[in-house]
Amino acid sequence: MSEANITKSIEWREDHVRIIDQTYLPLRTVYCDIRDVGQMWDAIKKLKVRGAPAIGIAAAYGFYLGIKDLELDSFPSFIIEANRIGEYLASSRPTAVNLKWAIDRILNSINALKEKPIDEIKAEVLALAKIIHDEDKRICKAIGLNGQDIIPKKANILTHCNTGSLATGMYGTALSVIYHAHLAGKKIHVWVDETRPLLQGSRLTAWELQNAEIPMNLIVDSAAGHLMKSGKVDLVIAGTDRVAANGDTANKIGTYSLAVIAKENNIPFYIAAPLSSIDMSLNSGDEIPIEERDGKEITQIGTTKIAPPKIETFNPAFDVTPAKYITAFVTEKGIIKGDYSKELKKLFN
Amino acid sequence: MSEANITKSIEWREDHVRIIDQTYLPLRTVYCDIRDVGQMWDAIKKLKVRGAPAIGIAAAYGFYLGIKDLELDSFPSFIIEANRIGEYLASSRPTAVNLKWAIDRILNSINALKEKPIDEIKAEVLALAKIIHDEDKRICKAIGLNGQDIIPKKANILTHCNTGSLATGMYGTALSVIYHAHLAGKKIHVWVDETRPLLQGSRLTAWELQNAEIPMNLIVDSAAGHLMKSGKVDLVIAGTDRVAANGDTANKIGTYSLAVIAKENNIPFYIAAPLSSIDMSLNSGDEIPIEERDGKEITQIGTTKIAPPKIETFNPAFDVTPAKYITAFVTEKGIIKGDYSKELKKLFN
C-alpha cells in the first residue's frame, strides 16, 4: 500500500473543494465538488463532511469560497461581509467547536491584514485555509508515526468508532497509527467494532480500511470481549473526544467496556489524542458532560424499525474511561505514559 | 400487574395451537392458529416460534396434530405413520436439540402404549404434549420464584438477549426472575441490551417487558459498561445455552463482557439456568463449541445495508463466561453458589 490508498475526505483543487459525500457511505463512494459557500454550508449541515477536524478545515475553505468573488474595495465593507460569512458558516453546526475555531482564526487573520489590498487578503485567507488543513495532516501523521513504538511487527489490533481520514484532514488519529503500521510493512490485522448506535465502525472505518487494503474483520461491539479472551487481540487503540488533565478519557460509548476487558486480559489499551483534545481545565473525567442523544438512533436503522413502538430508551453518546485503564496516550508530541497528571501537563509547557 | 400480562408464546386451545408469530415482532402482535402438522412444520422452520423449550413444546403439539386424524386401526401401520411425522417435524430445524428430544419422548411413549387402542394412544400423545408444556412452565416458574432471593425490594436490573416467555412455555428463565420480582411488588427497573447482531433484546425482551408494564429502558450493548460504572445497575442476570460441569457458561455473544465489567464494579452477576442446560459431560467451557454465523447478520438489518459490500466479518454467536465471574446460578432447584464443580453435581444426585 502507498499513501495513495489512504482516503482523502477533503481536498483543495485549484479553485474548489472536493469532498467525499459521507452520506452515501459505505455503499457508494460519491465525490462532491464545492464551489461556493452555500454549498459548503449545506455539506456541513447535512453531514456530507463530518468529524471535528474535518469540519474546521471545510469551514476554512468554505470561508475563502465565500469571500473570493466579493467585489468590494474598502476594508470596512469587506470585513462586514466577512463577518456575515463567518456567522453563516458557524450556523451550519452551531455546537461544533472546530468550526467556530477555524472561523475565528480566519477573521483574526483578516483583521490583522486590514492595511493590505483586498485581493491580497483574499489570497491570505486561502493560504490560511491550506495551513489549517496541513497542520491537521501533520498532527495526524505525527500521531501515526509516533504510534509505531507501540505496534509490534505483527499484530491484531482492535479499534472502535471512526478515527480516520474521514474525520480529519487525512490519516486520522487511532486509524493513522494503523495506516502507518501498514505503510511500514508491519503485518497487521484489524478488528473493527461496528460501533452502535450510529455504526461509524461499519459505515466508515471498515470502508476506509477496505480502501487501503488493510486486512480486517467487522464485528459487533459485543464480540470484542470474546476476541480478547481468546487471545486474538494484541492491542486496542481508540480515539478520544476529550481527555481531562488526569488522563480520564471521554470517547464513543463502549470505549470504557473495551478498556476494562483489555485490562482483565492483560492487553494494552491505547488512546490516540491530538493535544487539541486534551482539556487541561478539567481535573478529571467527572467534569466531562455526557451527551444523551435521540432514542431513534437505537430503535431505527435506516428505514427499518427494530424495537416496539413507544419504547423507552437511554442513549448516552460517550463514556469516560478512567486513566488507570489506559496503557499510554499517543500524541503528536510522542507517547505519554506514567503519571498522566504530570506527563500531560509537560506537553503544554 | 397480574400473570395475565405475561406473554404466552404458545397455547393449546381445545383443538388447535395458538402461537404468537414472532416474525412480526416487535412492530405487530400477530397470533397464528395452527391446525395441522404442516402448519407447525412451517411455523418452526420460519421461526414463527423460536427458543429451545418453545420449539420442543411446539413440536409435541404438532405431533398430536399430525396423528389425530390418522384413520388407522392397527398399531404397526400407526407407528409407521407416527415415525414419518416425527422425522418430518424434526426436519424443520435439524439442529434444535429440544425438537429432537420432544419427538423422541413422544415416540417412546407411543411404543410403550402399543397394546392400547389407537384412539387412546392419540389422547395420550395430547396429554404428553400438555405435560411437556406444563413441565417447562413449572421449571420456569420455579426459577422465577427461587430467583427472588437475589432481587432486592428495589433494583435496577440489566439483562441481555431474550430469555422470556417467547422462548419457553411461559415466563422464561432470567426474565422469569424479573417477572416474578414485579409480580411480588418489588420496585424494579430493567436495562435491556439490544443484543446485536440479531437484536433479541430490542425485538423480543423490550416487547415482553412493555406488555407486562415493567419499567425499562432499551440500550445499545456498549452502554452497559457506562451504566455499571455510573452506579445505575444493581445486578445483572442472563440466561444460558449451556453450562459446563465447572460452572463455565456459554451464552449469547456479549455475556462475557458484561460479566467482566460487573465484577470490576462489584455488581453481582447471575445466570438463570434450568437443569436441562447444565451439561455435566463437559468439564469446562473450553469444550463448548462456539457457533459462527453468517456475516449478513452484521452487515444488514432488515432491508438496510450498513457496511461496505464484500466486507470481511467475524460473527461468533456465543461466548463463554468463566465460572469465576458468576455470583450464583438460579435453577429450578434453588440458588447455586460456591464451588460450582461440587454444587452443580449435587443437583443431579
Side-chain angles (χ1 to χ4, degrees):
Chain A
M1 183 187 92
S2 75
E3 296 245 343
N5 293 75
I6 300 176
T7 301
K8 283 161 209 72
S9 59
I10 184 162
E11 276 182 288
W12 178 256
R13 293 171 82 94
E14 203 164 335
D15 62 348
H16 68 280
V17 179
R18 171 165 288 184
I19 63 163
I20 293 176
D21 182 343
Q22 298 191 31
T23 60
Y24 285 97
L25 294 180
L27 302 181
R28 290 174 58 202
T29 305
V30 175
Y31 291 90
C32 173
D33 287 328
I34 293 179
R35 296 175 186 280
D36 64 47
V37 65
Q39 290 176 332
M40 188 59 91
W41 185 91
D42 191 64
I44 297 172
K45 175 80 177 173
K46 294 192 177 147
L47 310 180
K48 293 178 186 178
V49 55
R50 49 150 287 287
I55 287 173
I57 295 159
Y61 286 130
F63 203 112
Y64 172 70
L65 294 174
I67 59 162
K68 80 178 167 71
D69 298 324
L70 287 179
E71 294 189 4
L72 298 165
D73 287 333
S74 83
F75 187 81
S77 338
F78 180 75
I79 193 69
I80 287 171
E81 281 305 310
N83 279 321
R84 267 185 10 99
I85 287 165
E87 278 169 36
Y88 171 61
L89 274 170
S91 71
S92 62
R93 280 191 76 183
T95 59
V97 177
N98 289 54
L99 182 61
K100 185 83 172 51
W101 168 86
I103 292 164
D104 286 348
R105 188 164 165 189
I106 287 177
L107 283 170
N108 287 339
S109 155
I110 292 175
N111 277 310
L113 295 165
K114 65 175 150 197
E115 311 299 338
K116 304 279 183 183
I118 300 295
D119 279 350
E120 200 171 308
I121 297 178
K122 288 178 179 176
E124 283 299 320
V125 168
L126 176 59
L128 180 54
K130 288 179 180 173
I131 286 170
I132 288 173
H133 192 175
D134 283 343
E135 277 173 3
D136 190 62
K137 278 193 209 172
R138 246 196 340 264
I139 289 168
C140 289
K141 191 172 185 78
I143 288 173
L145 291 172
N146 290 338
Q148 294 319 301
D149 289 352
I150 59 157
I151 308 283
K153 281 190 186 153
K154 211 176 142 184
N156 282 296
I157 304 171
L158 190 140
T159 192
H160 196 65
C161 202
N162 178 257
T163 58
S165 274
L166 288 169
T168 59
M170 197 175 162
Y171 309 112
T173 56
L175 227 51
S176 180
V177 176
I178 289 170
Y179 280 133
H180 285 90
H182 191 67
L183 286 170
K186 294 180 183 177
K187 289 212 165 97
I188 58 163
H189 164 267
V190 185
W191 299 109
V192 179
D193 275 0
E194 64 173 0
T195 318
R196 283 284 284 149
L198 289 180
L199 298 164
Q200 291 92 339
S202 43
R203 292 189 298 109
L204 308 178
T205 302
W207 181 86
E208 282 198 36
L209 294 178
Q210 193 182 39
N211 269 0
E213 296 171 16
I214 297 177
M216 57 141 289
N217 289 80
L218 181 65
I219 58 171
V220 297
D221 304 319
S222 272
H226 173 64
L227 288 168
M228 286 196 245
K229 175 168 158 282
S230 312
K232 290 178 180 154
V233 178
D234 298 305
L235 65 105
V236 181
I237 186 162
T240 176
D241 288 84
R242 223 154 158 194
V243 179
N246 72 343
D248 291 352
T249 294
N251 191 42
K252 186 64 57 205
I253 191 77
T255 306
Y256 163 72
S257 300
L258 295 176
V260 170
I261 301 161
K263 190 185 170 211
E264 184 77 3
N265 289 284
N266 296 311
I267 295 167
F269 179 89
Y270 301 104
I271 293 290
L275 265 60
S276 60
S277 62
I278 302 172
D279 186 343
M280 297 303 285
S281 75
L282 301 172
N283 292 314
S284 82
D286 297 340
E287 295 173 28
I288 305 177
I290 302 293
E291 178 190 0
E292 282 171 32
R293 294 174 56 88
D294 194 331
K296 262 195 194 153
E297 293 180 356
I298 304 180
T299 59
Q300 190 164 340
I301 294 179
T303 52
T304 307
K305 293 199 170 102
I306 54 175
K310 295 186 190 165
I311 205 80
E312 296 283 333
T313 57
F314 178 64
N315 186 22
F318 305 101
D319 58 26
V320 174
T321 301
K324 67 174 176 180
Y325 296 104
I326 299 167
T327 311
F329 289 89
V330 184
T331 77
E332 67 266 38
K333 287 201 181 175
I335 305 278
I336 309 302
K337 278 193 176 191
D339 179 347
Y340 295 130
S341 297
K342 268 191 208 162
E343 300 301 325
L344 291 175
K345 200 185 271 177
K346 283 186 199 162
L347 290 174
F348 296 92
N349 290 342
Chain B
M1 184 188 93
S2 75
E3 296 244 340
N5 294 75
I6 300 176
T7 302
K8 283 160 210 72
S9 59
I10 183 161
E11 275 181 289
W12 178 256
R13 293 171 83 95
E14 205 164 335
D15 62 348
H16 68 280
V17 180
R18 171 165 288 184
I19 62 164
I20 293 175
D21 183 344
Q22 298 191 32
T23 59
Y24 286 98
L25 293 181
L27 301 181
R28 290 174 58 202
T29 305
V30 175
Y31 291 90
C32 173
D33 286 329
I34 293 179
R35 296 175 186 280
D36 63 46
V37 64
Q39 291 177 331
M40 188 60 90
W41 186 92
D42 191 64
I44 297 171
K45 175 81 178 174
K46 295 193 177 145
L47 310 181
K48 293 178 186 178
V49 55
R50 50 151 285 289
I55 288 173
I57 295 159
Y61 286 129
F63 203 112
Y64 172 69
L65 293 174
I67 59 163
K68 80 180 168 71
D69 298 325
L70 288 179
E71 294 189 5
L72 298 165
D73 288 333
S74 82
F75 186 82
S77 340
F78 180 77
I79 193 68
I80 288 171
E81 282 305 309
N83 279 320
R84 266 182 13 96
I85 288 165
E87 278 169 36
Y88 171 61
L89 275 170
S91 71
S92 61
R93 281 191 75 183
T95 59
V97 177
N98 290 54
L99 181 61
K100 185 81 173 54
W101 168 85
I103 292 164
D104 287 349
R105 189 164 164 189
I106 287 177
L107 283 169
N108 287 339
S109 156
I110 292 174
N111 278 309
L113 294 165
K114 63 176 151 197
E115 311 299 338
K116 304 278 181 183
I118 301 295
D119 280 350
E120 202 171 307
I121 297 177
K122 289 179 179 175
E124 283 297 321
V125 168
L126 176 58
L128 181 54
K130 288 179 180 172
I131 287 170
I132 289 173
H133 192 176
D134 283 343
E135 278 175 1
D136 190 61
K137 278 193 209 171
R138 246 197 338 266
I139 289 168
C140 289
K141 190 171 186 77
I143 289 173
L145 292 171
N146 291 338
Q148 294 319 302
D149 289 353
I150 58 158
I151 309 282
K153 283 189 185 155
K154 212 176 142 183
N156 282 296
I157 304 171
L158 190 140
T159 191
H160 196 65
C161 202
N162 179 256
T163 59
S165 274
L166 288 169
T168 59
M170 196 175 161
Y171 310 112
T173 56
L175 227 50
S176 180
V177 177
I178 289 170
Y179 280 133
H180 284 90
H182 190 66
L183 286 169
K186 294 179 184 178
K187 288 210 166 99
I188 57 164
H189 164 268
V190 186
W191 300 109
V192 179
D193 274 2
E194 65 172 0
T195 318
R196 282 284 285 150
L198 289 180
L199 298 164
Q200 292 92 337
S202 44
R203 291 189 298 108
L204 308 177
T205 302
W207 181 86
E208 281 198 38
L209 294 178
Q210 192 182 41
N211 269 359
E213 297 172 14
I214 298 177
M216 57 141 290
N217 289 80
L218 180 65
I219 59 171
V220 298
D221 304 318
S222 272
H226 172 64
L227 287 168
M228 287 197 246
K229 175 168 157 283
S230 313
K232 290 179 181 154
V233 178
D234 298 305
L235 64 106
V236 181
I237 186 162
T240 176
D241 288 83
R242 223 155 158 193
V243 179
N246 71 344
D248 291 352
T249 294
N251 192 42
K252 186 64 56 203
I253 191 77
T255 307
Y256 163 72
S257 300
L258 295 176
V260 170
I261 301 162
K263 190 186 171 209
E264 184 77 3
N265 289 284
N266 296 310
I267 294 167
F269 179 89
Y270 301 105
I271 294 289
L275 265 61
S276 60
S277 62
I278 302 172
D279 187 343
M280 296 302 286
S281 75
L282 301 172
N283 292 315
S284 81
D286 297 341
E287 296 173 26
I288 304 176
I290 302 293
E291 178 190 359
E292 283 171 32
R293 293 175 57 87
D294 193 332
K296 262 195 194 153
E297 294 180 357
I298 305 180
T299 58
Q300 190 163 340
I301 295 179
T303 53
T304 307
K305 293 199 170 103
I306 55 177
K310 295 185 190 167
I311 205 79
E312 296 283 334
T313 57
F314 178 64
N315 186 23
F318 304 101
D319 58 27
V320 174
T321 301
K324 68 174 175 179
Y325 297 104
I326 299 166
T327 311
F329 289 89
V330 183
T331 78
E332 66 268 37
K333 288 203 182 174
I335 305 277
I336 309 302
K337 280 192 173 190
D339 180 346
Y340 294 130
S341 298
K342 268 191 206 161
E343 300 300 325
L344 291 175
K345 200 184 272 178
K346 284 186 198 163
L347 290 174
F348 295 92
N349 290 341

